[in-house]
Amino acid sequence: MPRVAVIISFEAQEFCRSMLRGITRFANAHGAWEWEVFLVGSGETKRINTRNFDGVIVDAIQPTAIRKWESSRLPVVQVFSNAHSFSVSHDEQQIGAVAAEHLCALAKPLATLENSWVKDPNKWWRERVSSFCQSARNQGKNIEICGLTSFPPRPATFAGKWTPEPHIVRWVESLQKPVSIFCADIHLAREALAVCRLLKLSVPEEVSVLGVDDDELLCLMERPTLSVVITQPEKVGYHAAELLDQRIISELQSPRQRLLIPPTGVADRGSTRPDLSDDAALSKALSLIQENAAQPLNIDQIARSVGVSRRSLELRFQKQLGRSPHQELVRIRLEKAKALLVSTSLPLGQISERCGFGDPYNFSRAFRRETGTSPREHRLKHAGTHVL
């Protein structure tokens, strides 16, 4: 039974926990590894070589530590970075392209937050923003860029509220409105929303904000709720474990293997939705549907909650969105289902329950009716990875 050390940066954050779920899924399906999780900077990581581990999966860490392990013939796979010869990471170019496509469709001027400090270990961020800018320019867009000289300070807890960074406040204040801002991760997106609250800018009417990584808790805590590009950290973890397993048992002949995991789309929430502020009932109904889509929802109950009749609510939906309240509910459920099909290995029964369809039959029937394909066919079509 292989003994594996997994070293991560942020134990409490959803992308790390999802990555660990992917590793767990592989380990349980292939003989139940014995493995331990360490935080970057922990003293225990300095003794990896002496604790009889057979391999290491490591988040971003100093290259000297990796070289030390490799020199002792300890197989290593790095995640969320393609700097190492054996790595599994997000497809940063695809993330930037998906973000540009989504924001360009809003027909507003574009802006982005960019890291510009010299000693930047997070090349993924630079590549992500560069791809966004190039994709937007290919569509004839100009981009206002804010160059950050360091990461803005984060709140004491991962779910805490932000204190806006003065440099970003001045930059957002100077932008011509309306504007759409792409933020390279979910934390910068929360920073941007905090700045908008401070400046009393309406979101998304004056400023649309799009982040990356669908940490649903953090996204739904924001007001308005936060739109993000959906990445697949669980798949990163699964393929990292698979790659390390091949290295441990010497099945891998290639001198290197770098896998890129593509995003699955955009979770379109309140921070990028069209301007519906002139209809408070419609806006509130949309929020109720978005936040409670996984629960049994009755259109009559929604209408009563927002203070209008069902007929009035249906007319508002048709006028503003071109679809009924029920069609909007199904659309949101299907978008979540698509993301779960591609980013997890959950069985259809669990996905249908999580997305509010009740049972796999109703889920499959609705999915095929709206997309022309079955859930299983969708999963197979979008499950591929790209090898560098």
Side-chain angles (χ1 to χ4, degrees), residues 221-282:
M221 279 175 58
E222 291 293 337
R223 288 294 179 270
T225 53
L226 179 60
S227 298
V228 288
V229 178
I230 305 170
T231 57
Q232 301 190 71
E234 183 171 334
K235 185 168 284 189
V236 168
Y238 183 92
H239 286 290
E242 182 179 50
L243 183 55
L244 182 64
D245 190 64
Q246 291 172 354
R247 296 199 70 195
I248 290 173
I249 62 179
S250 301
E251 287 185 352
L252 195 62
Q253 303 301 319
S254 170
R256 72 169 197 170
Q257 188 163 332
R258 294 170 175 162
L259 303 179
L260 299 180
I261 310 299
T264 63
V266 172
D268 188 17
R269 299 189 178 97
S271 66
T272 57
R273 295 193 68 89
D275 182 1
L276 299 172
S277 61
D278 58 337
D279 191 329
L282 177 58

Side-chain angles (χ1 to χ4, degrees), residues 300 303-304 306-314 316:
D300 288 320
R304 285 195 296 271
V306 302
V308 298
S309 68
R310 175 171 179 149
R311 179 58 179 161
S312 174
L313 186 65
E314 289 173 339
R316 292 165 192 249

Side-chain angles (χ1 to χ4, degrees), residues 157-351:
T157 66
F158 82 101
K161 291 296 184 181
W162 289 93
T163 300
E165 176 72 13
H167 176 58
I168 301 178
V169 172
R170 290 192 295 270
W171 175 69
V172 172
E173 194 170 25
S174 72
L175 292 173
Q176 183 177 352
K177 316 299 187 301
V179 66
S180 295
I181 300 177
F182 171 59
C183 302
D185 71 358
I186 190 173
H187 307 294
L188 279 178
R190 297 183 67 205
E191 170 87 22
L193 289 178
V195 169
C196 290
R197 287 193 294 270
L198 178 71
L199 296 176
K200 295 183 170 30
L201 296 171
S202 60
V203 179
E205 291 77 16
E206 292 180 276
V207 182
S208 296
V209 177
L210 179 67
V212 180
D213 292 327
D214 192 23
D215 187 326
E216 192 171 50
L217 171 62
L218 297 185
C219 290
L220 295 181
M221 279 175 58
E222 291 293 337
R223 288 294 179 270
T225 53
L226 179 60
S227 298
V228 288
V229 178
I230 305 170
T231 57
Q232 301 190 71
E234 183 171 334
K235 185 168 284 189
V236 168
Y238 183 92
H239 286 290
E242 182 179 50
L243 183 55
L244 182 64
D245 190 64
Q246 291 172 354
R247 296 199 70 195
I248 290 173
I249 62 179
S250 301
E251 287 185 352
L252 195 62
Q253 303 301 319
S254 170
R256 72 169 197 170
Q257 188 163 332
R258 294 170 175 162
L259 303 179
L260 299 180
I261 310 299
T264 63
V266 172
D268 188 17
R269 299 189 178 97
S271 66
T272 57
R273 295 193 68 89
D275 182 1
L276 299 172
S277 61
D278 58 337
D279 191 329
L282 177 58
S283 181
K284 185 176 179 181
L286 284 169
S287 295
L288 286 172
I289 292 174
Q290 179 76 51
E291 295 171 18
N292 300 282
Q295 308 301 320
L297 280 179
N298 181 285
I299 304 304
D300 288 320
Q301 291 177 332
I302 294 173
R304 285 195 296 271
S305 296
V306 302
V308 298
S309 68
R310 175 171 179 149
R311 179 58 179 161
S312 174
L313 186 65
E314 289 173 339
L315 290 173
R316 292 165 192 249
F317 267 79
Q318 287 294 343
K319 179 181 177 181
Q320 294 281 7
L321 303 178
R323 52 183 174 268
S324 69
H326 179 73
Q327 288 171 328
E328 175 67 5
L329 173 61
V330 172
R331 185 191 70 81
I332 290 172
R333 286 174 171 171
L334 287 175
E335 287 302 311
K336 183 172 183 179
K338 289 176 185 177
L340 290 175
L341 284 168
V342 177
S343 62
T344 75
S345 61
L346 290 173
L348 296 189
Q350 288 187 33
I351 291 177

